[in-house]
Amino acid sequence: MNMIETKDLTKTYGNFTAVSHLNLHIRKGRVYGFLGPNGAGKSTTMKMFLGLTKPTDGSFYIDGKTYPKDRIAILKEIGSFIEAPAFYGNLTGEENLDLIRKILGLPKQCVGDALELVGLSSFRKRPAKKYSLGMKQRLGLAGALIGRPPVLILDEPTNGLDPVGIHEIRTLIRSLPQRYNCTVLVSSHLLAEVELMADDIGILNHGRLLFEGTMDELKQSARAASFPTDNLEEMFLAIIDEDNRRRGDRV
């Protein structure tokens, strides 16, 4: 069963097409690694799912609910972390999360649960302006996880973390489907991390989907095209380079 599915989803800005006829199939209870170079259309796609920008054409559904008819119902099912999270600097981490909790109408214990999940319990009383970049990333992730939504949309969730923090957040994301029966769409430039956490992979370039499937299916596809198959990064670069070559972007 697909938790998220798109049909010819398209977003244009004037003469520029950011996302072109995108057909994604994100299976329930899976971690889906959404990959592509800068400007490939990943963030634009995520923003369409969150109602932050309107599709120019096409459609999508999330958990059986269709956009735009069920826009509000869709938003209630999604926890999100998009770009650099913004907080009230004079409020503590705990107080920032409590604002989100009140907006969502969740019980008070959700704040403590979310802080514990991301390893910020001991910093809950510290003002957010005194958080390091890595701590702010963790707080943003806590905000996405609060209330344990069935769908998580995470854009570069390990940005700014040290290697230990990256490992901890990757392990957390990897565990979420089994622990909370949720589906995770995660975008990251750390391909070695995506390889360790994702069940399925989608590769985007110039707004178009070049590949979608499991890691084994990606290896089979790369092998058939005589691309290297040692790791995700090599396969990703080879697929992107070949697509750019066909487009005439590179000689």
Side-chain angles (χ1 to χ4, degrees):
M1 174 185 172
N2 293 327
M3 179 60 93
I4 303 176
E5 191 168 317
T6 71
K7 184 174 182 182
D8 292 328
L9 191 63
T10 300
K11 178 65 180 180
T12 59
Y13 298 94
N15 294 325
F16 174 69
T17 301
V19 176
S20 179
H21 300 91
L22 187 62
N23 294 296
L24 294 179
H25 307 84
I26 300 172
R27 293 185 281 178
K28 185 175 183 178
R30 311 276 283 191
V31 176
Y32 187 104
F34 199 31
L35 308 179
N38 286 334
K42 306 184 301 300
S43 293
T44 300
T45 301
M46 291 175 161
K47 287 176 180 177
M48 283 191 278
F49 291 158
L50 294 167
L52 298 175
T53 188
K54 291 183 179 180
T56 306
D57 201 3
S59 60
F60 66 86
Y61 79 76
I62 295 178
D63 197 14
K65 300 171 180 65
T66 305
Y67 181 90
K69 181 170 68 74
D70 304 316
R71 184 175 66 87
I72 301 301
I74 286 173
L75 289 177
K76 288 181 178 178
E77 299 211 357
I78 298 175
S80 65
F81 180 109
I82 299 291
E83 296 174 347
F87 302 106
Y88 292 100
N90 290 328
L91 298 183
T92 66
E94 184 177 53
E95 289 168 337
N96 272 282
L97 289 187
D98 199 51
L99 290 176
I100 298 172
R101 178 196 69 78
K102 289 176 180 176
I103 290 169
L104 297 176
L106 299 169
K108 288 187 177 181
Q109 69 263 25
C110 287
V111 172
D113 290 347
L115 287 165
E116 187 175 346
L117 264 177
V118 300
L120 281 179
S121 293
S122 58
F123 302 101
R124 61 195 307 153
K125 300 296 185 183
R126 180 178 293 186
K129 66 183 177 183
K130 294 188 177 180
Y131 276 17
S132 67
L133 175 58
M135 290 168 69
K136 288 177 180 176
Q137 293 294 102
R138 289 172 183 269
L139 190 58
L141 192 54
L145 289 166
I146 197 167
R148 300 179 184 176
V151 178
L152 278 170
I153 295 178
L154 310 176
D155 192 9
E156 301 289 343
T158 57
N159 187 34
L161 297 178
D162 62 21
V164 172
I166 290 171
H167 171 79
E168 290 174 351
I169 297 301
R170 180 238 299 162
T171 302
L172 171 62
I173 292 170
R174 173 70 265 170
S175 73
L176 289 172
Q178 186 170 6
R179 289 170 70 179
Y180 302 130
N181 191 31
C182 65
T183 303
V184 183
L185 173 62
V186 57
S187 169
S188 177
H189 287 104
L190 301 177
L191 302 190
E193 292 301 315
V194 173
E195 188 168 7
L196 291 169
M197 79 170 82
D199 300 300
D200 301 309
I201 300 290
I203 297 177
L204 205 62
N205 194 35
H206 295 286
R208 290 185 176 274
L209 190 65
L210 303 184
F211 173 84
E212 182 181 63
T214 65
M215 191 66 66
D216 285 342
E217 289 168 342
L218 178 57
K219 287 181 180 178
Q220 292 172 11
S221 178
R223 194 175 294 115
S226 299
F227 293 154
T229 59
D230 290 345
N231 56 58
L232 176 58
E233 184 171 1
E234 287 189 349
M235 291 186 285
F236 169 80
L237 291 173
I239 289 169
I240 295 297
D241 285 347
E242 173 65 15
D243 185 59
N244 286 339
R245 186 190 63 79
R246 283 201 303 265
R247 291 169 172 275
D249 292 349
R250 293 184 181 179
V251 178

